[in-house]
Amino acid sequence: MTTETGGALTVWRRTIALVYPVAPRLVVGLAATALVTGLLSGANVAALGYVVGSVAAAIEGGGWGSSIVAVGVLGGLQLVGQIAAAVSAYLNSLLTDKMANTFSLLVARKSAALELPDVENPEVYDKLQVASREAPFRPTQIVTGSIAVIQSLVSAISVFVVVAQWSLWVALVIVLAPVGEVVVSTIMNSRMWGVEIDRTEKRRMAQ
């Protein structure tokens, strides 16, 4: 498991190093919207708690002014979340198109620069075939997946801060829940890469 995780982290670092210089503003924009969305999770929980408390107080004889304000705040947070999701989807679309064009062109140039002995080399051929198939989508997938992990962590932390004020044990469960998903996702991505390499070699041998 340690070897697989280390290999996945190596692929991740190399991918980020390739993608970020091509579209730094899009990557930063996606990271910023992910951060906002993650923080909104905790804010929504806090606002919902405030709504419940203010409504309960109003039912017991208090005024409804606080309840109306609480509902307005909750609705405003929901609206901000919808806007952040729309912006994230738009930036993701732009990044996907830009990465597909850039890396496809890069692979084509690399292929054209190869000498005949290189093309006849099985290892070089396999890597070239994998790159040709994976270039249009894999780099963007790794980057957006990493940003999604960051968003999940920020969301878990923000919710933890709010829920811990009510119940520490429930807050701990919320924070620890995504850890298994992150570990499994990292290992599965590494294995999928290995499977793709193996399939490429089999296709070449079958030709």
Side-chain angles (χ1 to χ4, degrees):
M1 181 179 296
T2 302
T3 302
E4 291 177 343
T5 304
L9 290 176
T10 299
V11 172
W12 179 82
R13 287 195 299 267
R14 290 177 178 176
T15 303
I16 296 298
L18 285 172
V19 172
Y20 182 78
V22 176
R25 293 182 179 179
L26 293 178
V27 174
V28 171
L30 282 171
T33 55
L35 179 62
V36 170
T37 302
L39 292 175
L40 281 173
S41 298
N44 280 319
V45 172
L48 183 59
Y50 181 46
V51 169
V52 173
S54 59
V55 169
I59 293 175
E60 292 177 356
W64 288 92
S66 297
S67 300
I68 296 174
V69 172
V71 172
V73 170
L74 183 60
L77 291 174
Q78 293 293 325
L79 178 61
V80 172
Q82 293 295 324
I83 294 174
V87 172
S88 178
Y90 176 69
L91 294 177
N92 188 29
S93 176
L94 292 179
L95 182 64
T96 299
D97 291 341
K98 190 174 184 61
M99 290 301 102
N101 295 332
T102 300
F103 283 101
S104 295
L105 181 59
L106 182 63
V107 171
R109 288 176 177 174
K110 185 65 176 178
S111 301
L114 292 176
E115 301 291 341
L116 182 58
D118 295 325
V119 178
E120 294 177 344
N121 186 318
E123 184 178 354
V124 174
Y125 178 85
D126 291 345
K127 290 182 178 179
L128 185 60
Q129 291 299 309
V130 172
S132 298
R133 286 193 299 271
E134 300 282 312
F137 67 92
R138 185 65 66 185
T140 305
Q141 188 180 69
I142 293 175
V143 172
T144 54
S146 301
I147 292 175
V149 170
I150 294 174
Q151 176 180 323
S152 297
L153 293 175
V154 173
S155 177
I157 293 173
S158 64
V159 172
F160 172 83
V161 172
V162 175
V163 177
Q165 302 177 36
W166 305 327
S167 173
L168 181 60
W169 288 109
V170 174
L172 288 174
V173 170
I174 292 175
V175 170
L176 294 177
V179 174
E181 179 183 355
V182 172
V183 173
V184 171
S185 177
T186 301
I187 294 174
M188 290 303 297
N189 286 334
S190 179
R191 289 183 175 178
M192 287 175 60
W193 179 260
V195 169
E196 185 62 31
I197 294 291
D198 184 61
R199 286 178 178 175
T200 302
E201 183 177 356
K202 291 180 179 179
R203 291 191 190 102
R204 173 179 53 78
M205 295 177 66
Q207 291 178 352

